Amino acid sequence: MAELTSVYLDKALESLAGAASEHSNRRYNNCANRCYFASFQAAVYALRQAGIFPPSRTGEWSHQALQAEFAGQLIQRRKLYPGELRSVLPTNESLRESADYEPHWVTGTQAERALRRTRSFVEANETQGEGRR
């Protein structure tokens, strides 16, 4: 199971690298998309590391359930992550939805902020996960 769990961290790191590449190539909508999925995948990794699995029968996390469990269980209840990470998932999801579905562009500043947030989020999950291995 540990190998399967680490796949999510590997995916998060790959998505983060993709976000950085998209940012450097000024593809800010794609950067926002990859930032959200990097943070989503990192959260899946963190929850699995903590022994928390999706409540659904399909074994997949909904976006809302994942965000609630990460904030509620890992930040608020277990205090494994700092409170400032609470807003990363919903903020990145909102920017991704805007990038993917709205008739305007994500700006370079928005993408840069998303990339910074996401790096911090993924790094915190990676560091915390290494401590539990």
Side-chain angles (χ1 to χ4, degrees), residues 108-122:
T109 300
Q110 290 172 306
E112 176 65 33
R113 288 177 182 158
L115 194 52
R116 257 195 320 262
R117 272 192 308 273
T118 304
R119 275 193 186 110
S120 295
F121 190 84
V122 171

Side-chain angles (χ1 to χ4, degrees), residues 35-52:
C35 280
Y36 175 65
F37 284 106
S39 56
F40 185 92
Q41 292 154 341
V44 170
Y45 168 74
L47 288 164
R48 289 181 68 93
Q49 283 286 96
I52 302 169

Side-chain angles (χ1 to χ4, degrees), residues 9-120:
L9 179 59
D10 293 341
K11 286 184 175 197
L13 292 167
E14 182 179 303
S15 292
L16 180 58
S21 174
E22 292 301 281
H23 183 270
S24 68
N25 286 294
R26 302 176 62 140
R27 292 189 287 258
Y28 302 132
N29 290 301
N30 287 340
C31 175
N33 179 286
R34 298 324 308 153
C35 280
Y36 175 65
F37 284 106
S39 56
F40 185 92
Q41 292 154 341
V44 170
Y45 168 74
L47 288 164
R48 289 181 68 93
Q49 283 286 96
I52 302 169
F53 298 91
S56 71
R57 291 184 188 169
T58 64
E60 297 175 4
W61 286 102
S62 72
H63 297 276
Q64 186 176 12
L66 178 110
Q67 291 175 30
E69 286 297 305
F70 186 88
Q73 291 293 327
L74 302 185
I75 294 175
Q76 188 171 338
R77 176 175 264 174
R78 299 185 190 187
K79 310 223 183 301
L80 297 174
Y81 295 90
E84 61 263 15
L85 295 182
R86 178 184 315 276
S87 66
V88 173
L89 285 159
T91 302
N92 281 358
E93 183 182 28
S94 178
L95 187 62
R96 182 203 55 98
E97 287 176 351
S98 179
D100 289 350
Y101 305 120
E102 299 295 325
H104 56 271
W105 297 91
V106 170
T107 67
T109 300
Q110 290 172 306
E112 176 65 33
R113 288 177 182 158
L115 194 52
R116 257 195 320 262
R117 272 192 308 273
T118 304
R119 275 193 186 110
S120 295

